Amino acid sequence: MATDTATALFEEHRPVLTGVAYRMLGRVADAEDVVQDAWLRWSAAEHDEIREPRAYLVRITTRLAIDRLRHVKARREAYVGPWLPEPLATDFGATVPDTAEQAVLAESVSLAVLVVLESLSPLERAVFVLREAFGFPFSQIATALERSEAAVRQLAGRARKHVEERKPRFDVDPVERRDLTERFLGAAAEGDLDGLMRLLAPDARLVGDSGGKSKVPLRVLESAEHVGRFMASVVRQGVPNPEIRVLELNGGPALLILSDDRPDSVLQVDVVDGRIKSVYIVRNPDKLVSLAD
């Protein structure tokens, strides 16, 4: 196989490889490193002997991601405060024509689901990602993980049950989520606690991720009152020269807040029955690098 052809094949499959690696690791930089390592192995391979390039590349990427995940788990145990995935810019509507497939991909990359995936073992997470997000047959997953198909089916069942039991319920209407997100930030900026309370579900929760490098709670806030009071007090303090952009991140609308043209924070909410159930704030500057212009 000519070098140009091999390069073109890799680039054709890069989105899938990046998608697998990100869902496995929850960090853009780690996913990009894994895909780069997969490229190096692909470059050195005997391409004429590879009958199914996509399956081969996914197998390499999955194994590399599992190895990296095992190494970073220790690092996350020492993380300061709650841990959230690194926000990922997505636009499934522009790349995936099938609306049902869009919904599956969006849910599999949502902050709520990725947080739950953190509690799976690396093998369970790999099986869940390959099967539930990308629809790979059990036979290919078994080959990728060097396990029997029966073992993979057991892993898949266990992982699916675990995720379904722990995954928060949320509505996916992007128009409603965007509207509530903007109204929520507006009420916080005005210090309108009553307005915030009308938008929040009684059992709302706020998860803030700063890695100890910015101001967010070092524990999860529970109840609408605690969430509302925190938002009203913090947002009123403001950031220098703010700019707010609406983006699609992790399959849904989110607000990127910039200060002096640099990403300061990401705000995203989950909505249930017309009210905000979960608030996610990412302020760790290391996790906002990929969103800088």
Side-chain angles (χ1 to χ4, degrees):
M1 182 185 298
T3 301
D4 289 348
T5 303
T7 301
L9 266 175
F10 187 88
E11 292 303 322
E12 176 186 344
H13 299 302
R14 181 185 289 273
V16 170
L17 306 181
T18 302
V20 169
Y22 175 77
R23 287 167 175 80
M24 285 289 297
L25 298 163
R27 285 201 66 211
V28 174
D30 286 338
E32 290 175 345
D33 287 346
V34 162
V35 173
Q36 179 61 26
D37 288 345
W39 161 250
L40 294 175
R41 298 197 181 197
W42 170 254
S43 300
E46 295 292 337
H47 301 122
D48 292 337
E49 299 178 4
I50 299 172
R51 289 180 295 179
E52 298 182 14
R54 183 173 186 264
Y56 176 86
L57 289 168
V58 169
R59 181 166 69 248
I60 292 174
T61 300
T62 302
R63 291 177 182 175
L64 289 168
I66 288 173
D67 289 343
R68 182 169 289 250
L69 183 59
R70 286 170 173 158
H71 284 94
V72 302
K73 273 188 172 295
R75 185 175 70 201
R76 291 180 188 170
E77 289 173 0
Y79 197 77
V80 178
W83 181 93
L84 287 172
E86 179 178 346
L88 174 71
T90 54
D91 188 4
F92 296 124
T95 58
V96 181
D98 184 86
T99 54
E101 187 178 353
Q102 287 178 27
V104 170
L105 288 171
E107 179 173 329
S108 72
V109 81
S110 68
L111 295 183
V113 169
L114 289 176
V115 168
V116 175
L117 293 188
E118 283 292 299
S119 58
L120 297 177
S121 72
L123 278 176
E124 287 173 337
R125 187 164 182 167
V127 171
F128 184 88
V129 168
L130 294 176
R131 181 64 181 175
E132 301 298 326
F134 294 96
F136 281 94
F138 287 116
S139 58
Q140 286 191 15
I141 300 174
T143 300
L145 300 181
E146 296 183 320
R147 297 291 192 278
S148 69
E149 188 170 331
V152 165
R153 289 180 180 274
Q154 286 186 335
L155 285 167
R158 191 159 62 237
R160 188 184 305 111
K161 181 181 179 182
H162 180 95
V163 172
E164 289 301 322
E165 288 176 346
R166 290 162 177 78
K167 180 184 67 177
R169 183 173 72 89
F170 55 88
D171 301 330
V172 298
D173 182 350
V175 175
E176 181 181 41
R177 287 180 71 188
R178 174 171 176 167
D179 175 62
L180 286 172
T181 303
E182 293 177 336
R183 289 165 57 195
F184 180 71
L185 185 62
E190 295 173 3
D192 181 3
L193 184 57
D194 289 338
L196 288 169
M197 296 296 287
R198 287 193 294 271
L199 296 171
L200 290 163
D203 57 347
R205 60 200 304 269
L206 182 148
V207 185
D209 179 335
S210 71
K213 299 178 180 180
S214 301
K215 186 174 181 178
V216 293
L218 293 180
R219 59 181 178 82
V220 177
L221 298 185
E222 306 280 358
S223 85
E225 182 177 359
H226 287 140
V227 174
R229 289 190 181 280
F230 171 79
M231 291 298 299
S233 64
V234 169
V235 175
R236 274 184 300 176
Q237 298 174 14
V239 298
N241 301 314
E243 178 188 349
I244 299 174
R245 299 178 186 172
V246 180
L247 303 176
E248 182 184 297
L249 300 177
N250 295 82
L255 300 183
L256 170 63
I257 303 168
L258 299 100
S259 175
D260 290 323
D261 296 323
R262 294 185 177 182
D264 174 86
S265 51
V266 161
L267 172 70
Q268 190 168 49
V269 305
D270 282 339
V271 175
V272 177
D273 298 330
R275 302 182 81 176
I276 294 171
K277 180 67 178 291
S278 299
V279 181
Y280 303 102
I281 301 176
V282 180
R283 294 202 73 195
N284 184 337
D286 297 338
K287 294 186 176 182
L288 302 176
V289 173
S290 65
L291 301 179
D293 290 337

